[in-house]
Amino acid sequence: MKIEFVSPSAAPPAKAALAFIVFEKEALSGDAASLSGAVEASRFTGGKGQVLDIVAPAGIAAARVLLVGAGPKDKLDLIGVEHAAASAYAAVKTSGLTGLLIRLDGATAEQAARAALGVTLASYRFDIYRTKEKPEKKPSVETVQIATAADAKAEWARQAAIAEGVKFTRDLVSEPPNVLFPAEFARRVKEKESLGLQVEILGEKEMEKLGMGSLLGVGQGSVRESQIAVIRWNGAADKDAQPIAFVGKGVCFDTGGISLKPPEGMEDMKWDMGGAGAVAGLMVALAGRKARVNAVGILGLVENMPDGAAQRPGDVVTSMSGQTIEIINTDAEGRLVLADAVWYCQERFKPKFIVDLATLTGAIIISLGNDYAGLFSNNDELSANLLAASDSTGEPLWRMPLPAAYDKNIDSMIADMKNTGGRPGGSITAALFIQRFVNGVPWAHLDIASTAWKKPSSVPTLPEGATGYGVRLLDQMVADKYEG
Ligand code: BES
Ligand code: MN
Ligand code: ZN
């Protein structure tokens, strides 16, 4: 699908739909005025999410006209613009038409670019493994034109880079686990050096030298070698300036290990690398738009399998920090991966802050449902920056507590700590576990088990499946607060 910006007076091409954005309780005006009869014959009021699809309208040169509701005009924000444009696209995506022209006559450059972003995110599909799809099920719309008087080129270049990052994440998360194992994930990230990123891959030998017994224990039952990918983007004027850092849980498949998960829904655990996927997509976005910041992304890539060589409940491992961990449940593996990845990140890069992303706990879905990710942090300023970016990108985030009193739940009888803290507050004790590997640096943990995958989806910019949650949010925070 191609995006073009055209002038407000441009006529739609042949076999294209023409879309008008309509606000609640506002009369149709201009070129859309002749459609008031169609509106009267329907229940269309211009409310958010409504689309009135008018085939072969009389008096308008278009195969089809869409009236897209955007709610009250004074409440329209940029997310509303994205959603309206995405809904227009969804309405004609497989209609047989090949084009869509969205009229945004009075829009600003930013609104026009966000409309283009909305359509681009909505048009995502992961279809490389389909060989027999019927032609009538395939998307037919090839070109989407945004009609605006504003010059949206520069703003779109920036949004397009972010969209590329989201797409990279969605592709990684969608891939089946027989294809995307740790070394393949690392290889795909390495390919992104073409964007100006520097990528370093650590294998098990290097990790053993570093003493990463916590991460290595998770992968020891897998025939696939564990990896750490270190991605660097040095876009600041001073290439040696202190970087900001992001760490991702990359469990390419989580069977639970010896604490084996039940079969129902286990296929979902292919997206247990969604945190690492988001960090990888973020780094692609930062490089793509040449962000003026030094940033590091660390991916902890493993596969959690049951096997004769697998880690047992009862094992004690020694993490890179020197702290020992008693394994109670081999299915609480994400925190074991993060323990070493976060420590390594701090020791090596001394970053301004660390944000980790992880599909860490089923309990966060119980707490927050399927729209909000959980935010856990030792720092109010970093939290405020994340929450502000969440608002402006429409990736919902809710701050959760880190009560010191719960920390004793992960004390072990024989080691420094154990890897589970019991059922109550499961997302909190998981976060407290990671916090034991944070050594004075401002840190935030995003539990994205609730948001990395969406099925069903009612958000027009999120087709079912991999969402890419986190890429936009973190990119926005960097743009707002950390670029010099
Ligand atoms: N990867 C899972 C968490 C998860 C669950 C992600 C559902 C996405 C959807 C994680 O490794 C896990 O298994 N967590 C356990 C922790 C428990 C054993 C303490 C859980 O949430 O049940
Ligand atoms: Mn698990
Ligand atoms: Zn997991």
Side-chain angles (χ1 to χ4, degrees):
M1 202 269 314
K2 214 166 71 216
I3 295 279
E4 289 172 5
F5 292 94
V6 298
S7 82
S9 56
K15 294 207 73 188
L18 174 60
F20 294 98
I21 309 294
V22 179
F23 298 107
E24 195 146 34
K25 299 202 177 86
E26 279 202 6
L28 297 177
S29 59
D31 296 344
S34 65
L35 299 165
S36 51
V39 171
E40 276 156 32
S42 78
R43 284 189 154 169
F44 181 87
T45 61
K48 254 190 192 167
Q50 292 182 356
V51 177
L52 185 64
D53 186 352
I54 306 161
V55 179
I60 293 190
R64 206 156 168 155
V65 168
L66 302 172
L67 300 182
V68 185
K73 190 167 192 173
D74 56 333
K75 292 216 177 90
L76 181 74
D77 57 12
L78 291 165
I79 309 290
V81 174
E82 286 174 15
H83 285 186
S87 299
Y89 173 79
V92 291
K93 174 168 114 174
T94 59
S95 62
L97 297 176
T98 53
L100 167 66
L101 188 153
I102 304 176
R103 288 277 293 262
L104 291 177
D105 296 9
T108 63
E110 198 178 20
Q111 287 173 324
R114 291 288 282 263
L117 176 66
V119 170
T120 304
L121 294 175
S123 71
Y124 178 76
R125 254 168 76 89
F126 186 75
D127 55 9
I128 57 177
Y129 296 106
R130 291 181 191 278
T131 66
K132 297 182 165 181
E133 194 171 36
K134 296 207 172 77
E136 64 269 26
K137 296 254 177 188
K138 289 200 174 129
S140 55
V141 172
E142 290 158 6
T143 308
V144 176
Q145 298 175 317
I146 311 285
T148 171
D151 181 2
K153 276 227 178 62
E155 190 52 32
W156 172 234
R158 175 191 177 79
Q159 298 298 340
I162 297 165
E164 271 306 307
V166 173
K167 177 175 160 30
F168 187 50
T169 303
R170 287 178 176 177
D171 283 344
L172 291 166
V173 170
S174 302
E175 281 287 5
N178 59 331
V179 172
L180 198 86
F181 46 90
E184 173 60 14
F185 193 140
R187 192 192 65 76
R188 291 191 189 195
V189 170
K190 184 88 183 165
E191 278 181 355
K192 297 296 176 190
E193 285 193 325
S194 60
L195 296 173
L197 295 166
Q198 292 161 261
V199 178
E200 218 178 298
I201 312 293
L202 312 187
E204 291 183 353
K205 275 224 178 67
E206 286 110 325
M207 289 190 254
E208 265 155 38
K209 270 198 210 117
L210 290 163
M212 294 187 172
S214 183
L215 185 153
L216 287 167
V218 176
Q220 79 187 31
S222 170
V223 296
R224 305 297 195 177
E225 187 183 351
S226 299
Q227 312 266 280
I228 277 187
V230 179
I231 315 170
R232 276 185 286 176
W233 169 251
N234 287 324
D238 174 4
K239 305 290 172 218
D240 297 321
Q242 187 183 25
I244 57 176
F246 303 91
V247 177
K249 167 180 172 181
V251 177
C252 295
F253 195 73
D254 179 13
T255 63
I258 295 301
S259 311
L260 192 62
K261 288 180 182 294
E264 189 78 21
M266 201 202 272
E267 70 282 4
D268 280 348
M269 288 301 105
K270 76 171 185 181
W271 51 265
D272 208 19
M273 33 55 70
V279 171
L282 170 68
M283 298 305 290
V284 164
L286 293 177
R289 68 174 185 79
K290 306 223 178 313
R292 292 182 311 277
V293 69
N294 293 345
V296 179
I298 310 264
L299 319 181
L301 304 171
V302 301
E303 184 179 56
N304 188 20
M305 297 295 271
D307 181 75
Q311 162 162 280
R312 291 154 291 259
D315 283 4
V316 173
V317 297
T318 302
S319 65
M320 184 183 173
S321 73
Q323 300 178 93
T324 56
I325 304 160
E326 183 187 10
I327 309 299
I328 301 299
N329 188 322
T330 63
D331 197 12
E333 84 298 337
R335 63 199 75 181
L336 298 169
V337 172
L338 290 172
D340 279 339
V342 165
W343 189 265
Y344 174 74
C345 178
Q346 274 168 119
E347 288 292 290
R348 177 161 173 202
F349 295 105
K350 310 271 184 275
K352 266 186 214 152
F353 67 74
I354 295 180
V355 176
D356 81 69
L357 290 95
T359 51
L360 203 66
T361 65
I364 201 70
I365 306 170
I366 308 295
S367 307
L368 297 178
N370 281 111
D371 288 345
Y372 284 81
L375 160 65
F376 301 81
S377 179
N378 64 2
N379 187 282
D380 290 342
E381 187 189 333
L382 180 57
S383 296
N385 292 346
L386 287 162
L387 291 167
S390 156
D391 277 343
S392 48
T393 54
E395 295 191 322
L397 187 61
W398 192 259
R399 188 163 181 188
M400 303 282 286
L402 282 170
Y406 293 11
D407 192 66
K408 62 178 180 310
N409 295 5
I410 51 172
D411 286 342
S412 157
M413 276 179 66
I414 66 161
D416 297 332
M417 69 195 85
K418 57 184 180 182
N419 79 329
T420 58
R423 250 173 84 80
S427 305
I428 299 174
T429 46
L432 286 165
F433 182 95
I434 303 167
Q435 191 175 34
R436 289 198 184 196
F437 298 86
V438 174
N439 194 4
V441 66
W443 156 78
H445 156 60
L446 308 190
D447 192 336
I448 61 168
S450 43
T451 56
W453 188 265
K454 216 168 178 62
K455 194 172 188 313
S457 171
S458 55
V459 183
T461 46
L462 302 178
E464 284 186 348
T467 60
Y469 182 99
V471 174
R472 297 188 58 190
L473 175 102
L474 296 172
D475 175 82
Q476 187 70 45
M477 180 181 79
V478 172
D480 288 346
K481 302 288 176 181
Y482 297 98
E483 285 190 54

